[in-house]
Every structure is written in structure tokens, then in C-alpha cells.
Amino acid sequence: MLKTETPSTAHPDLDLYELPQLISAFVEDQLQAVAAVRAAGPQLAQAVAAALPRIQAGGRLIYAGAGTSGRLCVLDSVELYPTFSWPRERALALIAGGQEAMFVAVEGAEDDQAQGARDVQGVNIGPHDVLLALAASGGTPYVLGALEAARGAGALTIAFANNEGAPVTAAAEIGITLDTGPEVISGSTRLKAGSAQKMALNTFSSSLMVRLGKVYGNLMVDLKASNAKLLRRAVALTMRATGADEAQARAVLERCDFQVKVAVVALRRQVSVEAARQLLDQAQGRVRQALDAG
């Protein structure tokens, strides 16, 4: 039996627990998700290093999964735009059962290996693209079909599974095992297996964006200020990075469509917004290099 399906020996009487003990059992078990992602650190670093040149060459991040794993794929892909201004068309999520499966379980969709291949082929995957394949069990047919099609098209394939020796990690160029073990509720991989997948995807995509110059220091200077909260955040980040007061920061941001990178360079270099954009273009969008340019 797969580890993720094996009943937990730690909590055989879960249904008898008093509420504080029940809450504690769920919370404490999540620590194994952190440990699993930490153990996979070398493989995650390998994955980022392999993906970087393909993405720099214009490739896309394409995610594939089913059920909870598929929904986590969608979540990671969607959040890259507001956080890093990553183009939506360069972060695509494929979920077994289609968009409907985000909200309603589409029974049997994960068992259709041919559909996984068709979905990947349908987005015209190519050699510059990176497929991120997720399957808690590690044997989801839909995900295996997606991997097969992606490898056939020359894309980089990276697979995440929560069981050792999983078919999906064996089928990918880079396999990442998140060994979270049995769940508190037997087989419910929406628990710590899902938490580990979320952390691993966050780590991978955030590290990739840092390497692409989307971060200055530890500040998210390439966010898309698309709502009131993010507009306030853009002002705060600009103030933090430059030492400018709120009025100065807001004035420059208003002249550059609230692009924090541009405002930071303009204020720190004491140049116009247009000159700041040119410096960033010459530095391939990297704030630190634009500030240090002669």
C-alpha cells in the first residue's frame, strides 16, 4: 500500500479525541510537510536551475494535475501575475476534468491518460517550456499522459509526488519526492501531502522569479498593482527601497503606472521615469544592476 494511503499508526482513535487534542493532531502532523520539502531542497534547486534558461528563452510554465494537486497547480499559476507581473499566457494550468474541476469533483477524469496528453498537446508545448506535474499518489494516469506528451515535445519535465519510487517522478527528467507519509485521516492527501505540494510549488516558482530579477533584496518590486491593497503595497515598497517619503514615492509611481521597479530606479538614481526604464531595459529588468550601472 502507498504511504499516502496507509492508516496512521499515530492516531488510530482519532474519532475519540477531545477537540483540543483533535486540532493538535492535525496541526502537528503538518510539520512533516515542512520536513518533506526541506529534504527535497537539492532536487528543487536542480529544477530551478534547469528551468531558468528555458524560461529566459521565452518558455512557459505549464502545470498539470488532478483533484487537489490540480487545484494547487491553478493556484500557483494564477498568483504569479499579481505577485511578479508574470504574463498570464506564460503560466498555464491544466487540471483533469477542465475548468469545472476547480469547483466540482469530476469523477474519473484523473484516470484518462490520453486526455492528459491531449491537454498538453492542445497548448502547443515546445522545447522552451517547462511542465510541472503533480500527483500525490505518484501514479495518476492523467498526469502520466501529460508527462509523456511534454517529453515527446522536448519540454523540460519536473514531477512532484508524495510516495517514493512513483511512476510520475520516474517519467520526468527531474523527479521530486515529498515523502509526507500516512495522513491523519487515511488517504486524505488534501492534508499534509497537499501542504507539501503547495510549499514546493511556492519555493520553485518564487525562486525562479528571484533569479529572473523580479525581486530586489527581498522586496517584491515587480508586483502588479491591480487593487487598492496592492497600490498601497507599491507605495510602501518604494518608500522602503528608496527612503523617499510617501508623497515622493506616490508622485513617481503615478508617473510610471505604479511600476515599483521603475520608481525605485528613478528615485535612487535621481533620473526621469523614461531614463529609469532605459536603465532597467539595459539591466534585463534587474533593479540592482540598473542601480549599479555606470
Side-chain angles (χ1 to χ4, degrees):
M1 184 179 287
L2 297 173
K3 274 190 180 181
T4 51
E5 303 292 330
T6 302
S8 171
T9 58
H11 303 285
D13 297 319
L14 188 72
D15 60 330
L16 300 177
Y17 286 4
E18 295 294 332
L19 193 53
Q21 186 183 9
L22 182 61
I23 298 299
S24 178
F26 283 117
V27 173
E28 291 299 315
D29 203 52
Q30 292 289 331
L31 296 176
Q32 293 184 42
V34 177
V37 178
R38 182 182 290 123
Q43 290 73 41
L44 283 164
Q46 180 189 5
V48 173
L52 183 60
R54 300 201 188 212
I55 298 302
Q56 288 174 323
R60 299 169 295 171
L61 295 172
I62 300 173
Y63 302 71
T68 297
S69 296
R71 294 181 191 101
L72 290 170
C73 288
V74 174
L75 181 61
D76 199 69
S77 69
V78 167
E79 290 181 341
L80 294 181
Y81 175 73
T83 308
F84 300 111
S85 295
W86 188 249
R88 293 188 179 96
E89 65 274 13
R90 293 184 67 190
L92 307 179
L94 306 174
I95 180 171
Q99 290 187 1
E100 178 188 356
M102 272 298 295
F103 307 100
V104 180
V106 179
E107 301 302 333
E110 70 177 56
D111 298 326
D112 194 339
Q113 185 162 339
Q115 188 60 52
R118 284 192 294 269
D119 284 354
V120 165
Q121 291 161 351
V123 297
N124 298 312
I125 197 166
H128 289 153
D129 295 326
V130 177
L131 181 78
L132 300 168
L134 271 73
S137 68
T140 307
Y142 177 87
V143 176
L144 287 168
L147 281 165
E148 182 180 5
R151 291 204 71 165
L156 173 66
T157 52
I158 302 168
F160 301 79
N162 294 88
N163 286 292
E164 294 178 337
V168 298
T169 51
E173 289 176 62
I174 299 174
I176 300 174
T177 300
L178 305 169
D179 187 5
T180 44
E183 297 285 359
V184 171
I185 298 177
S186 304
S188 182
T189 51
R190 61 182 285 272
L191 297 174
K192 66 172 175 244
S195 297
Q197 289 182 340
K198 176 72 165 64
M199 283 188 280
L201 283 180
N202 277 169
T203 301
F204 172 85
S205 59
S206 298
S207 298
L208 184 63
M209 293 298 145
V210 171
R211 284 290 178 260
L212 289 169
K214 300 286 186 177
V215 173
Y216 170 54
N218 66 347
L219 305 180
M220 49 184 286
V221 292
D222 213 1
L223 83 166
K224 182 63 67 175
S226 54
N227 58 39
K229 177 190 72 177
L230 292 175
L231 287 170
R232 291 193 298 272
R233 186 175 297 168
V235 174
L237 288 168
T238 302
M239 293 170 63
R240 179 69 175 268
T242 64
D245 62 30
E246 182 175 353
Q248 291 174 312
R250 187 174 290 275
V252 175
L253 283 164
E254 287 174 349
R255 293 201 297 271
C256 63
D257 194 28
F258 278 80
Q259 292 179 304
V260 176
K261 277 184 170 185
V262 177
V264 169
V265 174
L267 284 163
R268 290 278 299 273
R269 294 290 299 261
Q270 291 295 292
V271 297
S272 68
V273 164
E274 292 73 20
R277 284 201 176 99
Q278 290 178 0
L279 286 167
L280 280 165
D281 287 343
Q282 292 164 6
Q284 297 181 315
R286 301 174 189 277
V287 171
R288 195 176 296 277
Q289 284 85 332
L291 293 176
D292 293 341

